[in-house]
Amino acid sequence: MPLETAKVPNLGKAPSASDIILTFIRDAIADGSLDQGEPIRQDDVARLFNVSKIPVREALKRLEAEGLVEFHRNRGVVVTSVSDPELAQIFEVRAILESSAIKLSIPNMREKTLARALEFCETFARETDVARWSELNWQFHSCLYEDAERPFLVSTIRSVNDRLERFLRIQLALSQGKEIADREHREILDACRARDVERAGTLVFEHIMGACRSLLEHLPRIRTR
Amino acid sequence: MPLETAKVPNLGKAPSASDIILTFIRDAIADGSLDQGEPIRQDDVARLFNVSKIPVREALKRLEAEGLVEFHRNRGVVVTSVSDPELAQIFEVRAILESSAIKLSIPNMREKTLARALEFCETFARETDVARWSELNWQFHSCLYEDAERPFLVSTIRSVNDRLERFLRIQLALSQGKEIADREHREILDACRARDVERAGTLVFEHIMGACRSLLEHLPRIRTR
DNA sequence: CTAGAGAATATCGTATACGGTTTACGATTG
DNA sequence: CAATCGTAAACCGTATACGATATTCTCTAG
């Protein structure tokens, strides 16, 4: 009598306290509620979740490895500050990886994928809630890389994107930010339809570096470094 | 009276217990003393260092974020297994990033850098201690990317390399592995001297993917996945 | 009123402790 | 004898506790 294995909630994969806290802090950095340079008090977070510091520290250690926070011995954890040149370099790595991904993807790209990408593109264009733009933007991008069948490449891109998330949200919210993104998305899609590998790669590269440029132009940075 | 801030050993960053354990376990995975799939018992490591489990767990959490180990809730931590396709994808990302890095580097490459690279190249060729090959190989590669002045790109390459470290050591130890690497290093160096950006990029890409191929050919993998 | 010493406070890093889950294994039953 | 069950041991995740370090406050000397 095999029990209905399908609909049983999988207890084995229940997230641990540190998993939940990890996601919470990562999101808080992404949406700007934790600004760069801002300290993260372990006891505060622990109290917030009614847990001890230990799962909090474990979550923070993972975020440290992801580059989102920094530990300062005996002084505490702060959200990593990103200087302009660093920001440009992170965008550049993203551009390198994403343009490679789309080049690998196009030769295998199915009609169905093109249709889904168009769908995401239009959902993005229609969405009025600023908070969701970045998420829909990612759906469009990652959809295009799916047929490359390179999960590791995509997850690497994802992790670079995580570092940029807070800035991407700002960039899209800039005047024209979303409109320009939408226009460029459609051009990229056209190149994919035409199976023009080189053009698509170049467009993706420029799409990303363009976002970087407009961000740097509009960010009045008063930071120390 | 600004003291030489550059060369003062930064006491503020004295390594914590978890830092030391992190390096220890990472090295153990790199040199093969911890094989893939092998469990890492928190209490054992703690006893080894005469500390509690807590710094051990924090180190493991960082290694989890680096992709070197996996937590299985209530069952323990194991060294991440890498399937053949995954391995190929990691090598490919490395090839993409390193070929881009050298292309960005060559236009700014100084004579001094070329001289240093040649030095590393020859030290690598002369070295007889298998254990040091991989380290010297990295010195040669990273030296070539220095003039790109892209620290983030180089650190991204470094982190991809960390995932491959255990396999790179195997690859270099294969018959002819080191000799082929040496020959290709010299070709790459020639292209750099000639400032031939495209050729250098292609050579680096092929150098890395070639290592990947020879590794996959010679790895008799009996793993489940 | 200011600079500096010293005490009080906040926060950190880690040890110890413990309940909960998984694993190993011998007992039990069909 | 094989399969299942029950129990004990091993191991994990997290709470509590505490010494160490950093920071802030207070008080005093100049």
Side-chain angles (χ1 to χ4, degrees):
Chain A
M1 195 261 291
L3 287 169
E4 322 246 341
T5 53
K7 40 182 95 164
V8 171
N10 188 342
L11 272 280
K13 286 196 190 166
S16 66
S18 92
D19 291 330
I20 292 168
I21 294 167
L22 172 74
T23 306
F24 177 83
I25 299 179
R26 200 196 278 122
D27 287 350
I29 294 173
D31 71 20
S33 27
L34 284 172
D35 206 0
Q36 58 184 0
E38 198 162 339
I40 301 177
R41 299 279 154 234
Q42 304 174 8
D43 291 331
D44 290 351
V45 180
R47 226 171 301 128
L48 188 60
F49 284 91
N50 273 309
V51 296
S52 78
K53 289 190 307 189
I54 290 176
V56 176
R57 285 179 59 84
E58 291 182 357
L60 289 170
K61 283 292 175 184
R62 279 166 60 178
L63 289 168
E64 182 187 27
E66 292 177 17
L68 289 178
V69 306
E70 287 169 2
F71 276 72
H72 296 278
R73 190 179 168 77
N74 286 324
R75 280 199 246 157
V77 176
V78 298
V79 179
T80 303
S81 287
V82 183
S83 68
D84 285 5
E86 280 164 352
L87 192 62
Q89 288 175 41
I90 304 174
F91 266 98
E92 187 181 48
V93 169
R94 200 191 138 204
I96 291 168
L97 292 174
E98 295 206 25
S99 60
S100 298
I102 206 164
K103 287 188 194 172
L104 291 166
S105 196
I106 288 181
N108 308 321
M109 202 174 274
R110 295 162 301 170
E111 288 306 319
K112 202 174 156 189
T113 303
L114 287 167
R116 274 185 64 225
L118 181 60
E119 189 62 43
F120 285 135
C121 183
E122 296 190 329
T123 309
F124 171 74
R126 269 196 310 269
E127 180 64 59
T128 54
D129 179 3
V130 186
R132 295 202 61 215
W133 289 355
S134 163
E135 172 197 348
L136 292 166
N137 182 57
W138 166 253
Q139 283 189 322
F140 172 75
H141 278 248
S142 63
C143 168
L144 292 176
Y145 314 140
E146 224 162 70
D147 291 337
E149 292 177 52
R150 303 291 206 281
F152 179 74
L153 175 55
V154 174
S155 78
T156 305
I157 293 171
R158 171 85 243 186
S159 84
V160 175
N161 259 283
D162 281 346
R163 295 202 194 218
L164 293 176
E165 187 68 30
R166 45 185 154 153
F167 303 103
L168 294 176
R169 296 195 187 193
I170 295 170
Q171 195 276 324
L172 285 174
L174 289 177
S175 79
Q176 301 297 313
K178 187 191 168 212
E179 285 69 23
I180 293 173
D182 180 45
R183 178 153 30 84
E184 296 179 351
H185 284 173
R186 289 172 200 273
E187 284 184 62
I188 291 167
L189 210 40
D190 283 344
C192 291
R193 276 200 211 89
R195 310 281 159 175
D196 189 336
V197 172
E198 283 310 315
R199 181 169 153 74
T202 307
L203 285 174
V204 166
F205 197 98
E206 286 308 320
H207 172 56
I208 292 169
M209 292 315 286
C212 176
R213 268 192 305 278
S214 89
L215 186 62
L216 289 177
E217 274 165 24
H218 289 84
L219 268 189
R221 323 197 106 195
I222 320 163
R223 315 196 206 134
T224 44
R225 28 174 293 133
Chain B
M1 192 260 294
L3 287 169
E4 324 245 338
T5 53
K7 38 185 93 164
V8 171
N10 189 340
L11 270 270
K13 283 195 193 162
S16 64
S18 93
D19 291 329
I20 292 167
I21 294 167
L22 172 73
T23 305
F24 177 83
I25 299 179
R26 201 198 276 122
D27 288 349
I29 294 174
D31 71 20
S33 28
L34 283 172
D35 206 1
Q36 57 184 357
E38 200 162 336
I40 301 176
R41 300 281 154 232
Q42 305 173 8
D43 292 329
D44 291 352
V45 180
R47 226 171 302 128
L48 188 60
F49 284 90
N50 273 310
V51 296
S52 77
K53 287 189 309 187
I54 290 176
V56 176
R57 285 179 59 82
E58 290 182 358
L60 290 170
K61 283 292 175 184
R62 281 166 60 179
L63 289 168
E64 182 188 26
E66 292 178 16
L68 289 178
V69 305
E70 287 169 3
F71 276 71
H72 297 279
R73 190 180 166 76
N74 287 324
R75 279 194 225 164
V77 176
V78 298
V79 179
T80 303
S81 287
V82 182
S83 68
D84 285 5
E86 281 164 352
L87 192 62
Q89 288 175 41
I90 303 174
F91 266 98
E92 187 181 48
V93 169
R94 200 190 138 206
I96 290 168
L97 292 173
E98 296 205 24
S99 60
S100 298
I102 206 163
K103 287 188 195 173
L104 291 167
S105 196
I106 287 180
N108 307 322
M109 201 173 275
R110 295 162 301 171
E111 288 306 319
K112 203 174 155 188
T113 303
L114 287 167
R116 274 184 65 226
L118 180 60
E119 190 61 44
F120 285 135
C121 183
E122 294 188 331
T123 310
F124 171 74
R126 270 196 310 269
E127 179 64 59
T128 54
D129 179 1
V130 186
R132 296 201 60 215
W133 289 355
S134 162
E135 173 196 348
L136 292 166
N137 182 57
W138 167 253
Q139 283 189 322
F140 172 75
H141 278 249
S142 63
C143 167
L144 292 176
Y145 314 141
E146 225 162 70
D147 291 337
E149 292 177 55
R150 303 291 205 282
F152 179 75
L153 175 56
V154 174
S155 79
T156 305
I157 293 171
R158 172 83 245 186
S159 83
V160 174
N161 258 284
D162 281 347
R163 294 202 194 218
L164 292 176
E165 187 68 31
R166 45 185 152 153
F167 302 104
L168 294 177
R169 296 195 186 191
I170 295 171
Q171 196 274 324
L172 285 173
L174 289 177
S175 78
Q176 301 295 312
K178 187 190 167 212
E179 286 69 23
I180 294 173
D182 180 45
R183 178 150 31 84
E184 295 179 350
H185 284 173
R186 290 173 199 274
E187 285 184 60
I188 291 167
L189 210 40
D190 282 344
C192 291
R193 275 200 212 90
R195 311 279 160 177
D196 188 338
V197 172
E198 283 310 314
R199 181 170 152 74
T202 307
L203 284 174
V204 166
F205 197 97
E206 286 308 319
H207 172 57
I208 292 168
M209 293 314 287
C212 176
R213 270 193 304 279
S214 90
L215 186 63
L216 289 178
E217 274 166 24
H218 289 83
L219 269 190
R221 323 196 104 195
I222 321 166
R223 315 193 205 135
T224 43
R225 31 176 298 127

